[in-house]
């Protein structure tokens, strides 16, 4: 089992969610986060004063998938989230050692 975490632009959330639903991924956790990478924020004007916005709003999507599905999930996210501009985001894939469904006590693949 793998955890796929994707940090994307907020306006791409629905596109990515719909694309993942088309390939059978329905369970995910979505969080509103802030951060920066190479984009390093931007300057804005407020009442004539310029200030720097260091952390930009992003969406973090997390899902756990079977090892066989990782390539399809990551390529689907890339296709749906890409704008071609800086700040499109990143995808992180990591191993999951154990999963336990609290309600039933099921573990691993049965818990997903």
């Amino acid at each position: 089992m793998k955890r796929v975490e994707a940090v994307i632009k907020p306006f791409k959330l629905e596109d990515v969610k719909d694309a993942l639903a088309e390939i059978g991924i329905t369970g995910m956790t979505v969080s509103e986060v802030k951060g920066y990478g190479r984009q390093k924020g931007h300057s804005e004007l407020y009442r004539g004063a310029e200030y720097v916005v260091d952390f930009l709003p992003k969406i973090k999507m997390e899902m756990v998938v079977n090892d066989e599905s990782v390539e399809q999930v990551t390529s689907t996210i890339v296709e749906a989230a890409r704008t071609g501009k800086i700040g499109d985001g990143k995808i992180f894939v990591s191993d999951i050692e154990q999963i336990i469904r609290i309600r039933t006590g099921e573990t691993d693949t049965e818990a997903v």
Side-chain angles (χ1 to χ4, degrees):
M1 303 295 290
K2 302 282 187 193
R3 177 195 332 236
V4 178
E5 298 175 76
V7 179
I8 62 171
K9 291 183 174 184
F11 68 89
K12 283 297 198 171
L13 174 60
E14 287 301 315
D15 293 343
V16 174
K17 184 182 70 97
D18 293 344
L20 288 170
E22 285 181 19
I23 64 167
I25 305 298
T26 55
M28 66 186 72
T29 301
V30 176
S31 307
E32 292 180 8
V33 297
K34 292 184 180 200
Y36 69 90
R38 290 185 185 158
Q39 198 172 3
K40 302 238 188 328
H42 62 275
S43 297
E44 290 188 5
L45 284 175
Y46 179 73
R47 295 188 179 185
E50 185 175 352
Y51 67 98
V52 176
V53 178
D54 290 333
F55 293 98
L56 301 171
K58 300 288 182 181
I59 295 292
K60 181 177 181 182
M61 305 177 77
E62 300 176 70
M63 62 217 75
V64 176
V65 299
N66 292 323
D67 292 344
E68 302 81 38
S69 302
V70 171
E71 185 64 35
Q72 184 181 24
V73 168
T74 56
S75 63
T76 299
I77 294 169
V78 167
E79 286 178 29
R82 180 181 287 149
T83 66
K85 298 188 170 108
I86 192 166
D88 275 350
K90 296 239 181 348
I91 299 174
F92 306 95
V93 179
S94 55
D95 290 320
I96 296 293
E97 290 185 27
Q98 185 178 23
I99 303 168
I100 302 167
R101 177 174 283 143
I102 295 172
R103 179 177 53 87
T104 62
E106 295 170 304
T107 60
D108 300 326
T109 54
E110 291 84 29
V112 176

